[in-house]
């Protein structure tokens, strides 16, 4: 079964540092997403990405966040200057078509900001 | 407003008991999708089911069953003959044609041996 792969599984970074979370979506998928889950809370939508541009972003996705598809396979989330409150599990997802068809989540990257 | 409410924060049952996790959603759209995900202690999101708004048939998959009722905007999930491995956080979720998924706050389920 095809998978969405996220690396690393756990990252620890110092406050103020930049961090890049990496995702490899399923190869024939066209729509890409990032979600965040602060420990013990619900999963929240951050951003969707299609055709090399952001389709939609939430109010959480402020100027310190950016996304990129630098090549044909990777999809990255960059946090420019991390804060303690950015500590969370970050999930990447991809889907084959509009309307959630084949929507698949990766196993997540746990980001700890110290 | 688009919202998913899981009123049960935490449930504990003894192994082999049946348990139902409640989910109530709010939406103004006529086309939408409902989901259930399982999050075990390892943290990943495990997809359980996706149901579109036009399909109100109940579904059974092994020990799992889902009851979708548009009249009450509910999409409840029942585990029959629960097992310790069912212990996890379960999220109900809603999506529209804009593709983002709106999650409920989750229900933490403890199955006691």
């Amino acid at each position: 079964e095809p998978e969405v792969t996220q690396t690393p599984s756990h990252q620890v970074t110092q406050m103020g540092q930049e961090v890049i979370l990496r995702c490899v979506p399923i190869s024939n998928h066209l729509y890409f997403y990032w979600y965040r889950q602060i420990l013990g809370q619900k999963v929240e939508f951050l951003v969707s990405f299609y055709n090399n541009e952001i389709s939609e972003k939430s109010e959480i996705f402020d100027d310190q966040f950016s996304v990129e598809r630098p090549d044909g396979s990777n999809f990255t989330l960059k946090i420019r200057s991390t804060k303690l409150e950015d500590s969370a599990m970050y999930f990447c997802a991809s889907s084959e078509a509009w309307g959630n068809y084949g929507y698949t989540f990766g196993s997540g990257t746990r980001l700890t900001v110290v | 407003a688009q919202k998913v409410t899981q009123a049960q924060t935490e449930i504990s049952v003894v192994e082999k008991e049946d348990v139902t996790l409640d989910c109530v959603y709010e939406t103004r759209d006529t086309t939408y999708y409902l989901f259930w995900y399982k999050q075990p202690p390892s943290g990943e999101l495990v997809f359980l089911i996706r149901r579109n708004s036009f399909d109100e048939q109940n579904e059974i998959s092994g020990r799992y069953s889902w009851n979708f009722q548009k009249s009450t905007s509910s999409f409840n999930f029942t585990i029959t003959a629960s097992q310790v491995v069912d212990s996890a956080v379960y999220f109900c979720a809603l999506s529209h044609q804009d593709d983002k998924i709106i999650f409920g706050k989750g229900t933490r389920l403890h199955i006691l041996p």
Side-chain angles (χ1 to χ4, degrees), chain A residues 31 33 35 37 40-45 48 56 89 91 95 97-103 105-107 110, chain B residues 4 33 35 37 39 41-45 47 50 89 91 95-106 108:
Chain A
Y31 299 84
Y33 314 86
Y35 287 77
Q37 184 185 28
Q41 298 187 23
K42 66 178 179 181
V43 180
E44 299 173 292
F45 169 79
S48 58
E56 185 176 356
M89 180 78 98
F91 291 101
S95 70
W98 199 243
N100 318 117
Y101 187 76
Y103 211 109
F105 281 91
S107 55
R110 183 167 297 285
Chain B
V4 176
Y33 304 87
F35 303 79
Y37 285 89
Q39 188 174 45
S42 49
E44 73 271 26
L45 290 170
F47 169 81
R50 170 182 181 260
V89 180
F91 291 98
S95 180
H96 301 89
Q97 291 185 310
D98 61 359
D99 245 19
K100 72 181 180 213
I101 297 181
I102 299 161
F103 286 81
K105 292 185 177 180
R108 184 174 297 277

Side-chain angles (χ1 to χ4, degrees), chain A residues 18-38:
Chain A
E18 175 182 285
V19 65
I20 297 176
L21 309 183
R22 302 182 191 279
C23 169
V24 178
I26 294 172
S27 61
N28 64 333
H29 284 191
L30 301 175
Y31 299 84
F32 313 113
Y33 314 86
W34 283 100
Y35 287 77
R36 180 183 82 174
Q37 184 185 28
I38 293 172

Side-chain angles (χ1 to χ4, degrees), chain A residues 39-111:
Chain A
L39 186 64
Q41 298 187 23
K42 66 178 179 181
V43 180
E44 299 173 292
F45 169 79
L46 287 177
V47 65
S48 58
F49 190 86
Y50 169 70
N51 201 24
N52 282 321
E53 59 183 29
I54 290 174
S55 309
E56 185 176 356
K57 58 184 181 180
S58 73
E59 58 193 22
I60 302 169
F61 194 88
D62 61 23
D63 291 344
Q64 69 160 345
F65 291 95
S66 62
V67 289
E68 195 177 34
R69 189 154 161 80
D71 51 43
S73 59
N74 289 285
F75 178 51
T76 62
L77 173 69
K78 183 193 289 185
I79 309 175
R80 265 181 263 287
S81 177
T82 49
K83 304 171 197 164
L84 294 177
E85 54 265 38
D86 293 326
S87 295
M89 180 78 98
Y90 289 83
F91 291 101
C92 174
S94 67
S95 70
E96 185 174 344
W98 199 243
N100 318 117
Y101 187 76
Y103 211 109
T104 304
F105 281 91
S107 55
T109 293
R110 183 167 297 285
L111 176 66

Side-chain angles (χ1 to χ4, degrees), chain B:
Chain B
Q2 301 161 10
K3 191 178 171 184
V4 176
T5 301
Q6 296 180 256
Q8 304 149 309
T9 306
E10 203 158 341
I11 300 174
S12 294
V13 300
V14 177
E15 200 174 16
K16 298 183 186 172
E17 287 185 355
D18 300 348
V19 58
T20 295
L21 308 183
D22 297 334
C23 174
V24 173
Y25 62 91
E26 293 176 33
T27 178
R28 290 184 185 149
D29 289 4
T30 55
T31 303
Y32 53 89
Y33 304 87
L34 296 165
F35 303 79
W36 276 94
Y37 285 89
K38 174 182 180 180
Q39 188 174 45
S42 49
E44 73 271 26
L45 290 170
V46 179
F47 169 81
L48 296 178
I49 189 170
R50 170 182 181 260
R51 175 53 54 88
N52 76 56
S53 53
F54 300 110
D55 182 3
E56 275 194 83
Q57 276 196 326
N58 291 332
E59 180 150 343
I60 298 174
S61 176
R63 296 184 297 106
Y64 295 170
S65 62
W66 291 269
N67 183 356
F68 177 25
Q69 293 203 339
K70 285 175 85 167
S71 60
T72 55
S73 297
S74 65
F75 187 45
N76 296 338
F77 172 34
T78 297
I79 302 174
T80 303
S82 59
Q83 299 176 2
V84 172
V85 294
D86 297 327
S87 297
V89 180
Y90 290 85
F91 291 98
C92 180
L94 165 71
S95 180
H96 301 89
Q97 291 185 310
D98 61 359
D99 245 19
K100 72 181 180 213
I101 297 181
I102 299 161
F103 286 81
K105 292 185 177 180
T107 297
R108 184 174 297 277
L109 178 63
H110 301 278
I111 308 298
L112 308 172

